[in-house]
Amino acid sequence: MTDGQKEGKPARVPEAKQAGEVRDRWAWAEPCVWTERMLTALETGVKGGKWFSLIDKVGSGRVLRWAFARVKANGGSAGVDHQTIAMYEQQLEQQTEYLGRALREGTYQPAAIRREWIPKPGSREKRPLGIPTVRDRVVQKAIQATLEPIFERDFAEQSYGFRPGRSCKDALRRVDQLLKEGQTWVVDADLKSYFDTIPQARLMKLLEEKVADGRVLELIRQYLRQGVLEEMREWRPEAGTPQGAVMTPFTQKITWARHLPGNA
């Protein structure tokens, strides 16, 4: 659902006039990652348009503890290591210390994803669901919290899918508004198996346009290449991002938003 002629370009970010205004505009951005100083730089622009030294945010103990709290709130099963959320929490400080050190040193290695098949609503088909380990879900949540504002700044105004602070109801309200304004054309389209076919090279190129921290980029590459364990057989996908992974909706937005009017 778009009104490309009117909304094709990203919304203009107004300049901050006093302390607190920037934070208000980015209220959804996680404060333990995004300080007001960083948000101001986000709005005014950084040198070369690229962000450096982000691994220190991803590997911060404070950020990793926050990320675990979010993972715990979402629930979910154990991954290939059979470690549950409760088991991880019992060793939270040790896990946090290990993750922080491994991420900053560039030695962290993601585990394989456990794949299950679940019913597809409204269909007899089933869809694959990837279940990362709790540890990997924590790391991916920390990456998402760190990178999401950088890319959200340029997403088109008419985009609603997986956007922070937006919901299906917001999209429906916009549809209702457009209908009342006399817009009567609706295009309903679905990309088959989009998550499974996202071109990884294209995704990494888009990430590299704004992120220059090699350790963060390499970590994302590892997540894209991590093995999939299915019925005792492990294989590595050559395209796409696993459904069920924390970062998948975020990476999907990056590739899809560039196809919207005004974002080419």
Side-chain angles (χ1 to χ4, degrees):
M1 183 281 299
T2 65
D3 182 14
Q5 295 297 320
K6 294 184 178 181
E7 300 180 26
K9 297 181 180 180
R12 178 179 178 274
V13 180
E15 296 182 1
K17 295 182 180 179
Q18 53 184 304
E21 288 188 8
V22 176
R23 173 57 63 188
D24 290 342
R25 285 195 293 276
W26 296 88
W28 58 266
E30 180 49 44
C32 70
V33 179
W34 285 88
T35 63
E36 191 162 313
R37 180 168 171 267
M38 288 180 65
L39 290 175
T40 299
L42 182 65
E43 291 196 353
T44 58
V46 292
K47 186 176 181 180
K50 293 189 177 184
W51 289 78
F52 296 80
S53 304
L54 294 174
I55 195 67
D56 290 337
K57 293 291 184 181
V58 176
S60 161
R62 184 183 177 189
V63 174
L64 291 171
R65 282 187 287 271
W66 167 86
F68 169 73
R70 295 298 298 272
V71 169
K72 179 182 177 182
N74 289 333
S77 305
V80 295
D81 61 355
H82 305 292
Q83 184 178 57
T84 65
I85 291 175
M87 293 165 63
Y88 187 99
E89 188 171 26
Q90 289 177 354
Q91 300 178 323
L92 181 58
E93 289 309 311
Q94 297 97 310
Q95 293 280 4
T96 301
E97 182 179 350
Y98 161 75
L99 279 180
R101 182 176 63 254
L103 289 169
R104 290 190 297 272
E105 293 176 354
T107 59
Y108 184 73
Q109 295 289 323
I113 290 176
R114 180 167 67 87
R115 171 166 282 192
E116 298 288 345
W117 290 84
I118 62 175
K120 192 174 182 179
S123 172
R124 294 182 179 180
E125 298 179 5
K126 291 187 176 182
R127 67 180 181 89
L129 179 67
I131 305 175
T133 62
V134 176
R135 180 182 287 171
D136 279 329
R137 300 204 298 263
V138 169
V139 175
Q140 289 188 27
K141 194 65 185 177
I143 294 173
Q144 178 188 353
T146 302
L147 299 188
E148 198 161 35
I150 296 173
F151 292 89
E152 276 287 329
R153 184 183 188 277
D154 296 325
F155 285 163
E157 184 64 29
Q158 73 270 24
S159 172
Y160 288 88
F162 304 115
R163 300 285 300 279
R166 296 186 174 205
S167 66
C168 293
K169 290 183 178 180
D170 293 319
L172 289 172
R173 278 190 283 267
R174 181 58 180 151
V175 170
D176 182 63
Q177 179 185 353
L178 291 171
L179 289 172
K180 290 176 179 177
E181 292 176 357
Q183 303 288 337
T184 57
W185 287 91
V186 176
V187 177
D188 183 7
D190 183 28
L191 298 179
K192 183 176 177 61
S193 301
Y194 185 64
F195 285 127
D196 297 328
T197 57
I198 290 175
Q200 295 181 0
R202 171 65 172 161
L203 170 59
M204 291 307 305
K205 183 178 179 181
L206 292 172
L207 286 167
E208 290 167 2
E209 288 180 2
K210 296 181 181 294
V211 176
D213 190 317
R215 285 173 294 180
V216 171
L217 292 171
E218 180 57 30
L219 189 57
I220 295 174
R221 285 192 188 93
Q222 290 183 47
Y223 276 122
L224 293 175
R225 298 169 182 166
Q226 68 189 129
V228 177
L229 186 63
E230 182 177 5
E231 297 181 350
M232 304 306 294
R233 179 177 69 91
E234 185 172 345
W235 55 280
R236 294 183 182 275
E238 297 180 358
T241 59
Q243 294 190 47
V246 174
M247 288 198 312
T248 292
F250 166 65
T251 53
Q252 181 265 353
K253 286 188 299 183
I254 294 175
T255 54
W256 171 245
R258 294 305 294 270
H259 295 285
L260 292 173
N263 281 35

